Amino acid sequence: MLDWLLFEPTSAYTTMFSGIIASVGHITTLTPRNDGSPTVRLTVEAGSLGLDDVELGDSIACNGVCLTVTSVDGDLVSFDLMQETLRVTNLGELQVGDRVNVERAARFGDDIGGHAMSGHVMATAVITRVIDTPDNRTVWFRLPDELAKFVFTKGYIGIDGCSLTIGAVEHAGFCVHLIPETLARTNLGWRQAGERVNIEIDPQTQVIVETVERVLAGRGDGR
C-alpha cells in the first residue's frame, strides 16, 4: 500500500553508524573549556575502540550522540559538547567514571550489522522497569508522548547508540529484550530504573508515519 513512497539513497558523505557498539568507554574528565566558550570538554578512555587512525574532525558516537573528535592522546579521545547537546541528551548527566557506549562512524562499504543510525538523538527516555532472568534482561522505558507514534512492536530503535528491536509496546512505554552478548558489550547491562537513555527513532519509520499523517490529513480536508 505504501509502494508509492520513494526514499533517496543515503549519501556516501553522510555520517552514519551501525548501532553495533564497538566498546564501552569510561569518562575520565568532564570540564568546562577554559577559553570562555559555553561548551564542555568530554574525555573518554575508549577501551577497545582503537584510535590509531582516528584524526581530528572524525565522528564517534558516545551513547548514540554523534560527536566530533577534538583531541586524541593514546587511548583517550576528547570532544566538545555544546549546550544544546547537554540539554537534549543524557551526556549532560554524565560524571567521571561513568560508562558510555562508543562506536566509530561507518565507512563506505562497511556492513551495517544493526540498522542505519545518524547519531542525532531526538529525546531521552526514562527506564521504568528492569526485569532480570537467567541469560536475559527485559528493560521498560517511558517515551515522551510525541514519539510514541513512531514505536512499533518488532520495529527498530536506537537506545544509547545500540540498535535494538522493540519487544512490546504499552501506551507511551516499550520494552527491549537483551541477550547476554548485548549485556556484556554495552552499558545496558548496568542500567537501572530511573536512569535516562538517549533515543533515536528509526528514520525510515519516522518518514513513513509522518508522510501517511500528511496524506490522511489532506484527504480529511477534501483535497
Side-chain angles (χ1 to χ4, degrees):
M1 187 172 74
L2 297 177
D3 55 356
W4 45 268
L5 289 176
L6 299 177
F7 297 96
E8 292 292 333
T10 301
S11 166
Y13 300 102
T14 301
T15 299
M16 299 295 291
F17 300 90
S18 70
I20 303 299
I21 301 304
S23 178
V24 176
H26 292 76
I27 305 301
T28 61
T29 59
L30 189 63
T31 56
R33 283 180 40 171
N34 57 11
D35 60 359
S37 172
T39 60
V40 172
R41 174 64 55 88
L42 168 69
T43 301
V44 178
E45 184 276 306
S48 59
L49 183 64
L51 301 175
D52 290 345
D53 59 343
V54 170
E55 300 179 354
L56 302 186
D58 284 354
S59 296
I60 292 177
C62 291
N63 278 359
V65 183
C66 179
L67 299 176
T68 300
V69 175
T70 57
S71 174
V72 180
D73 182 9
D75 62 353
L76 300 178
V77 58
S78 297
F79 315 90
D80 289 340
L81 307 181
M82 302 297 292
Q83 292 300 308
E84 181 68 6
T85 301
L86 297 172
R87 183 186 70 83
V88 173
T89 75
N90 66 10
L91 298 187
E93 302 172 4
L94 292 175
Q95 298 180 7
V96 172
D98 284 350
R99 291 169 279 206
V100 292
N101 296 325
V102 289
E103 180 194 353
R104 294 179 61 170
R107 301 175 184 178
F108 184 71
D110 284 353
D111 291 333
I112 302 297
H115 73 281
M117 296 171 59
S118 67
H120 297 159
V121 170
M122 297 182 67
T124 59
V126 176
I127 298 174
T128 57
R129 281 184 287 163
V130 176
I131 304 169
D132 287 315
T133 57
D135 297 327
N136 189 57
R137 165 178 268 214
T138 297
V139 185
W140 282 90
F141 305 87
R142 184 177 67 251
L143 272 175
D145 292 341
E146 63 271 19
L147 297 185
K149 63 184 178 182
F150 301 121
V151 177
F152 303 92
T153 300
K154 305 307 178 186
Y156 292 123
I157 196 165
I159 301 177
D160 269 358
C162 303
S163 171
L164 296 169
T165 301
I166 296 167
V169 177
E170 293 181 358
H171 307 295
F174 71 95
C175 75
V176 295
H177 304 296
L178 306 176
I179 62 174
E181 185 69 11
T182 303
L183 298 175
R185 293 174 61 91
T186 76
N187 67 5
L188 295 178
W190 296 284
R191 289 295 200 178
Q192 298 297 325
E195 295 184 345
R196 194 174 295 274
V197 297
N198 292 327
I199 296 293
E200 181 180 334
I201 298 297
D202 175 45
Q204 290 194 2
T205 298
Q206 183 181 2
V207 169
I208 291 172
V209 170
E210 292 181 342
T211 301
V212 170
E213 284 183 339
R214 287 196 296 271
V215 170
L216 294 178
R219 290 177 179 175
D221 291 339
R223 293 195 295 269

